[in-house]
């Protein structure tokens, strides 16, 4: 968190920031690796817990392929034991996600319990059930409220398959304005939604959000191997230009998994690239499987299950491939940007065995 503050401070110093921007990932990773060697490393950014796979919507690019709940999701007692373990090991932030977390019957009880153990909570939700639960959830200690808008109202409602999805999302943002310091809108960006960004911009500016992330869709979940959803280099360049053009109007940036694309832009902007998967954060699936990041929900990459051993032990002993100093693929080792991105997006590298730089290398405006 100290380094995050350093990011914000140095960005205000134009002569220094470009130098720092290209070295921040190396600094952050080396710091995490040192803390790991000393036994001090905890997921200080957050732990994300997919509390259920149940969801009241079915987006075609859902990263967790949510819909029906899994048969073996953690029960209330197991969830509280997990929260106890997180608190005891020094985790400060727990991000409740899904699926749609507000469809879990005991969600209010679990959010309250997390706060009682001194964990600040984040909530990732489509917003549909926020208003009806507001009297129960408004008093919690939040660090983040995170929701999605896929495009302007007709576009969003069509994607979500619900004619009230857009209005419910905006109402929830309005309510959280008073209780969450960071209220982030995430927009999954592909060809059709990319074209709708200029129309969505004034909606975001007038909403209760104070941050907007534009996230290219990765080859995971329901979008796996679906070429309709992947941006080419020209579209990526337009996306970066759009962000740079409007950054003075609101806090707008790429999705965290694609921060490394900023290294291909003409000048640095926003937070420097750094993938904290298995270093500063991780994800826990609804059944207790522990994964490195909150984007690739593939159990082939599990580091263990909290039903077999405590999360704190999995965190301490797992993620060894990630915590090597140079866990790069062969193509990365010869890349001029490797010391600036330190491997790019872990999920993307696992699925694609490469980042998006190759698209840029093969394209010229």
């Amino acid at each position: 968190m100290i380094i995050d503050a350093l990011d914000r401070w140095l960005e205000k110093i134009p002569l220094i920031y470009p130098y720092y921007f290209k070295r921040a990932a190396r600094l952050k990773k080396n710091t995490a690796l040192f803390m790991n060697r000393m036994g001090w490393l905890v997921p200080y950014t957050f732990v994300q817990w997919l509390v259920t796979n149940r969801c009241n919507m079915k987006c075609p690019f859902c990263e967790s392929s949510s819909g029906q709940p899994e048969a073996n999701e953690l029960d209330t007692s197991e969830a509280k034991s997990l929260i106890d373990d997180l608190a005891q090991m020094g985790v400060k932030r727990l991000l409740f996600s899904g699926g749609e977390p507000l469809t879990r019957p005991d969600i209010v009880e679990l959010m309250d319990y997390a706060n009682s153990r001194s964990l600040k909570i984040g909530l990732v939700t489509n917003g549909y059930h926020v208003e009806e639960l507001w009297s129960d959830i408004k008093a919690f200690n939040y660090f983040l409220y995170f929701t999605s808008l896929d495009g302007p109202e007709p576009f969003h409602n069509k994607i979500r398959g619900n004619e009230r999805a857009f209005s419910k999302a905006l109402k929830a943002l309005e309510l959280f304005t008073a209780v969450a310091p960071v209220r982030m809108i995430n927009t999954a960006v592909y060809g059709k939604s990319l074209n709708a960004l200029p129309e969505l911009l004034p909606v975001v500016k007038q909403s209760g959000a104070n941050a907007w992330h534009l996230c290219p869709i990765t080859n995971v979940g329901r979008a796996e191997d679906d070429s309709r959803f992947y941006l080419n280099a020209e579209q990526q360049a337009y996306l970066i230009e759009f962000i740079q053009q409007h950054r003075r109007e609101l806090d707008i940036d790429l999705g965290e998994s694609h921060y490394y694309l900023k290294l291909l832009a003409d000048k640095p902007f926003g937070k420097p690239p750094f993938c904290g998967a298995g270093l500063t954060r991780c994800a826990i699936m609804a059944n207790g499987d522990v994964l490195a990041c909150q984007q690739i929900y593939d159990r082939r990459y599990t580091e263990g299950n909290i039903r077999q051993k405590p999360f704190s032990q999995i965190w301490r002993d797992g993620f060894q491939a990630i915590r090597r100093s140079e866990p790069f693929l062969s193509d990365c080792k010869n890349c001029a940007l490797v010391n600036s991105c330190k491997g790019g997006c872990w999920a993307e590298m696992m699925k694609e065995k490469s980042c998006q730089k190759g698209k840029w290398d093969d394209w010229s405006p």
Side-chain angles (χ1 to χ4, degrees), residues 59-348:
C59 305
F61 39 72
C62 177
E63 293 171 349
S64 57
S65 302
S66 298
Q68 295 300 314
E70 296 186 9
N72 58 345
E73 295 181 353
L74 300 179
D75 62 27
T76 304
S77 177
E78 290 172 319
K80 287 185 175 180
S81 294
L82 168 63
I83 291 169
D84 288 338
D85 189 30
L86 295 175
Q88 187 172 359
M89 69 180 287
V91 173
K92 301 299 183 184
R93 295 173 167 182
L94 178 59
L95 189 58
F96 288 82
S97 181
E100 172 47 54
L102 297 184
T103 63
R104 180 168 169 139
D106 60 355
I107 188 64
V108 173
E109 179 182 355
L110 294 176
M111 292 169 74
D112 182 56
Y113 189 73
N115 266 183
S116 75
R117 294 307 314 271
S118 300
L119 274 72
K120 289 187 176 182
I121 59 178
L123 181 60
V124 180
T125 172
N126 57 41
Y128 197 86
H129 295 293
V130 166
E131 191 172 7
E132 67 188 74
L133 293 173
W134 186 241
S135 61
D136 294 319
I137 66 176
K138 64 182 179 181
F140 295 140
N141 186 7
Y142 294 94
F143 73 91
L144 172 68
Y145 178 77
F146 184 104
T147 194
S148 296
L149 289 179
D150 301 319
E153 186 167 5
F155 189 104
H156 179 84
N157 289 346
K158 183 178 181 180
I159 288 291
R160 300 274 159 162
N162 188 303
E163 63 182 12
R164 301 178 67 194
F166 189 85
S167 60
K168 287 280 192 177
L170 289 183
K171 179 61 179 179
L173 276 165
E174 177 187 335
L175 291 171
F176 266 93
T177 301
V179 299
V182 179
R183 302 170 301 281
M184 184 177 293
I185 290 175
N186 183 78
T187 298
V189 181
Y190 62 106
K192 291 183 178 179
S193 63
L194 184 71
N195 296 332
L197 290 180
E199 186 180 349
L200 185 58
L201 174 64
V203 177
V204 174
K205 290 171 63 176
Q206 295 165 20
S207 74
N210 56 10
W212 189 20
H213 275 190
L214 303 179
C215 189
I217 295 174
T218 299
N219 183 18
V220 298
R222 288 202 188 99
E224 186 170 6
D225 298 327
D226 192 336
S227 60
R228 294 177 301 165
F229 295 123
Y230 309 146
L231 299 180
N232 59 36
E234 184 175 4
Q235 291 169 322
Q236 290 175 358
Y238 171 81
L239 176 60
I240 289 175
E241 182 182 352
F242 179 86
I243 292 171
Q244 290 177 313
Q245 181 181 355
H246 297 288
R247 288 199 73 244
R248 292 187 178 182
E249 301 171 48
L250 75 165
D251 182 2
I252 177 174
D253 210 333
L254 285 166
E256 199 169 280
S257 59
H258 286 86
Y259 277 179
Y260 74 89
L261 289 176
K262 293 186 277 189
L263 293 166
L264 304 174
D266 56 350
K267 60 181 179 180
F269 65 92
K271 289 187 67 174
F274 171 65
C275 179
L279 295 170
T280 68
R281 64 174 188 265
C282 67
I284 303 172
M285 299 291 284
N287 74 332
D289 282 338
V290 178
L291 303 175
C293 87
Q294 73 278 18
Q295 188 170 22
I296 181 170
Y297 304 117
D298 188 329
R299 291 189 173 90
R300 288 176 296 175
Y301 305 115
T302 182
E303 298 288 334
N305 188 289
I306 67 167
R307 284 179 166 138
Q308 277 73 58
K309 51 185 172 182
F311 172 82
S312 53
Q313 183 180 347
I314 296 172
W315 177 261
R316 184 188 67 225
D317 299 335
F319 307 103
Q320 292 307 305
I322 292 174
R323 293 174 186 174
R324 292 197 301 266
S325 295
E326 305 294 344
F328 303 126
L329 299 173
S330 57
D331 289 348
C332 292
K333 294 177 181 178
N334 299 319
C335 177
L337 299 177
V338 67
N339 283 321
S340 297
C341 78
K342 302 304 285 185
C345 169
W346 181 84
E348 193 170 62

